[in-house]
Amino acid sequence: MKMKNLLVPTLREVPAEAEITSHKLMLRAGYIRKLAAGIYSYLPLGLRSLKKVEQIVREEMDAAGAQELLMAALLPAEAYQASGRWEVFGPSMFKLKDRNDRDFCLGPTHEELFTQTVIDEVRSYKEYPMTLYQIQTKYRDEGRPRFGLMRGREFIMKDAYSFDLDEAGLDVSYKKMYDAYCRIFTRLGLDFTIVDADSGAMGGSGSQEFMVKSPVGEDGIAYCDACGYAANYEKAECVPQEKNCGETELQLEKVETPEVHTIEELVEFLKTEPYVFAKTIIYKADDKYIAAMVRGDREINEVKLKNLVGCTDDLELAEPFAVREITHAQVGFAGPIGLDIPVYADLEVMRMKNFIIGANETNYHYKNVNVHRDFEPTVVADIRTITDGDVCPKCGKPIKTAQGIEVGHIFKLGTKYSDALGLTYLDETGKPKVVVMGCYGIGVTRCLAAAIEQGNDENGMILPVAIAPFEVIVIPVNAKNEEQIKLAEEIYEQLKKKGIDALLDDREERAGVKFKDADLIGIPLRIVAGKKSAENIVEYKLRNDDLPLELHVGEAVEAAVKFITENR
Ligand code: ATP
Ligand code: MG
C-alpha cells in the first residue's frame, strides 16, 4: 500500500477526551474515531490491525476444531425471555421494537441463540461434541463506557459455544479452548495471566479469565508467585487475618461521636485505628435490604456478596431515605445491633474483639462490641476483597495484587441454557438427556487496546508484527530526490513480492513528519532510503531498537523478510 492513497489522519495533539495511552494513541494514529460514548468507527489502519487479530483468533479456533458461523446481531426477544436474561441484563441490553411492536434487542452475547440453533439443527447424539463460534459486533449499553476500545458499547467479540454429551465431554472441549486461548494470546504478543473467575450469576462449574496486567485494567487480580495461584478479586478466597482479636471482652459502651460519619473521621476522633472498627453497609438487593459487615480497613466485595444473597440485579447502596428508615439514624451510624434486616458478616468480623460499630442512633457509636454477646449475624461468609498483605489461600505465602484487562473468558456453563431452552438428546438407549455447554469469549477490539497499552513509548505504538497494520514501512528521506524515491520503490516492490505487508511513504512530506508518523502508527520495521541511496545503502531500524543499522539493499530486504516471517 502506498501512503498517498491511504487515509491516515494522524494528530499531533493529544485528544482531550482520551484518558489512557491506548485510547490516546489510537486517536492520534488515526486508527479510530468516536461517534458517541463507547461507539467508534475503525479507520483503515485500525481495521487492518483488527482484521489481523481476528485472523489469529480464527486460525486457532479452526485448528481447535471449532466451526465458524455468523448470527444476526438484531435479535428477537423470545430466546432471551425464555432464559430469563431479557430481565437479567437490565439496562445493559439495547432493546428496540419493530414496526409491528415486536420486541428485539441488539445481541450482547449469544448463548441463547446458539443453543436454539443446536436445538433446531442437530438431529442425533452422534453429532456431538460440537463447538460453534462467530466473530461479531456486540452491543452492551455499559454504565461507564470509557477508555476507547477497552470498554465500548459496540465492540467486536469472538464468542464460541461448546455442546457435549456429558460433563467429561465438556472438560475436554473446555481444555481445547483453554489451549487455543493460550496460543491466541501468545501470538497476539500479549503478556497474559490466567485467573480463576467468578461463575456466580451464570451458574456453571468453573470459569477462567485471561488477563493482561495493566494499571488501567478494571479487574483486580490476586496472584501468588510461590504456588501459581491466581484469581479475580471476585473469586479470590480471603483467609481471615488476626488483628484486633483475642483480648478479654470488655463492657459494651455507647459513645457520643458528633458529626463524624466516615471511618477516617472516626479514627481521628477516637484516636484509634481503622481495624478496630467493623463497618456496616446497607444494600438494596433486588427489592429487599440487607446489611453487610467487614473490618474497618477492609472492602466489601459486592460480587461475592451478591452471589451469597442470590439476587438477580447487582447490589446497590441503599438510598439515604432507606438507610434512615432502617437504622433510625442519619447515614453513617449503621450497626448490626437491633437491625431487623439480614446481617451478612465477613469471616474476620467473627474473630474481632471489643470493636466499634455504629449505634443506629445519630451521633452515637458502640465501643467494646463482641459478636454472639451483643449481636448475631444472619450469615457469616467471606465477603471481602483480597488485598496486599493477605496470604495465598492455597499455600499461605504473601499474595500479590494487580489490575488486569480481561481479554478473554472461558466458562463451563453446564446445563443452564440447555435446561432453560430444552436442548436434549436421546442417548443410544433412547433415554433423553440434557446437553452440557461451555462458552468462550475474546474481546477482539479490547485485545488491540491491550496490546497498545502494553507496547508503546513517548513516540507512539510499538505493535507486534502479528497485529501491526503493516509489517514494514519504507521511507525515502527526500520526497524530491529521484534516486531515493526509486530505491524506496524498489525495496517496497521486493518486499511485496516476498509476501510482506509493506507500506511505502510516498507523501511529499518532510522527513521528520514521515518518521514521526511511522513511529506513531506502530510499524515494527522501518527501512529508509537516504543520502547513501546512490551506494545502495539504506537504514534499517526496528521500532523498538534505538539505533538504525546501515545495510546494503539486498541485505536489508533479506533481513526484513527473515525478521517478519519469524515474528508473525
Ligand atoms: P467485563 O467484566 O469487562 O465487563 P464481561 O465479563 O462482561 O466483561 P464477557 O461477557 O465475559 O465480558 O465477554 C467476553 C469478552 O468480551 C471479555 O473477556 C472482554 O474481552 C470482551 N468485552 C466484554 N465487554 C466489553 C466491552 N464493553 N468492550 C470491549 N470488550 C468487551
Ligand atoms: Mg467476563
Side-chain angles (χ1 to χ4, degrees), residues 58-166:
R58 182 173 283 120
E59 284 171 17
E60 295 299 339
M61 293 305 289
D62 291 348
Q67 304 172 60
E68 184 171 5
L69 53 72
L70 183 59
M71 293 220 167
L74 179 59
L75 305 169
E78 284 76 13
Y80 289 93
Q81 284 162 342
S83 74
R85 289 211 290 184
W86 186 256
E87 278 78 38
V88 170
F89 272 111
S92 344
M93 194 184 237
F94 278 104
K95 292 178 177 168
L96 60 156
K97 286 191 188 285
D98 72 1
R99 60 169 72 201
N100 299 314
D101 215 30
R102 281 189 59 195
D103 284 316
F104 284 81
C105 69
L106 296 176
T109 171
H110 278 61
E111 282 75 6
E112 287 81 349
L113 280 296
F114 277 76
T115 309
Q116 193 58 50
T117 300
V118 174
I119 292 174
D120 294 343
E121 310 304 336
V122 174
R123 305 212 156 72
S124 158
Y125 73 91
K126 292 182 186 149
E127 293 180 60
Y128 299 111
M130 182 187 297
T131 297
L132 302 172
Y133 78 97
Q134 63 176 347
I135 298 176
Q136 195 213 31
T137 301
K138 293 281 187 280
Y139 298 87
R140 294 183 185 180
D141 199 355
E142 298 275 1
R144 286 191 73 192
R146 58 183 188 150
F147 295 170
L149 299 194
M150 205 67 96
R151 181 168 299 281
R153 295 197 294 167
E154 177 181 287
F155 58 97
I156 302 172
M157 195 203 285
K158 184 285 300 174
D159 48 327
Y161 307 87
S162 65
F163 301 88
D164 276 278
L165 296 175
D166 50 29

Side-chain angles (χ1 to χ4, degrees), residues 231-302:
N232 191 308
Y233 278 180
E234 298 167 353
K235 174 84 179 173
E237 203 183 305
C238 296
V239 180
Q241 304 293 304
E242 301 282 328
K243 233 178 189 179
N244 194 28
C245 305
E247 296 158 44
T248 51
E249 292 186 1
L250 304 175
Q251 200 178 351
L252 185 69
E253 204 182 308
K254 197 191 256 183
V255 288
E256 197 177 356
T257 50
E259 300 306 323
V260 285
H261 303 271
T262 64
I263 293 276
E264 296 77 52
E265 287 167 352
L266 271 167
V267 165
E268 182 63 29
F269 183 80
L270 297 173
K271 302 267 171 287
T272 176
E273 295 291 335
Y275 63 79
V276 180
F277 295 83
K279 56 185 170 194
T280 307
I281 313 274
I282 316 280
Y283 283 104
K284 192 169 177 185
D286 295 339
D287 49 5
K288 294 185 318 195
Y289 289 95
I290 59 150
M293 293 182 72
V294 289
R295 212 170 70 190
D297 58 339
R298 303 303 204 188
E299 294 304 325
I300 293 171
N301 190 287
E302 292 178 3

Side-chain angles (χ1 to χ4, degrees), residues 108-109 140 142 149-158 209-210 218-219 406-409 440-447:
T109 171
R140 294 183 185 180
E142 298 275 1
L149 299 194
M150 205 67 96
R151 181 168 299 281
R153 295 197 294 167
E154 177 181 287
F155 58 97
I156 302 172
M157 195 203 285
K158 184 285 300 174
E209 288 162 341
F210 290 72
E218 294 184 274
D219 283 82
E406 180 193 322
V407 286
H409 193 172
Y440 316 91
I442 290 182
V444 170
T445 33
R446 189 181 282 181
C447 280

Side-chain angles (χ1 to χ4, degrees), residues 484-499:
Q484 291 180 15
I485 293 170
K486 195 163 154 275
L487 187 63
E489 268 174 7
E490 262 173 44
I491 296 168
Y492 167 72
E493 292 300 338
Q494 283 185 35
L495 288 171
K496 284 212 334 182
K497 260 200 211 111
K498 307 245 171 180

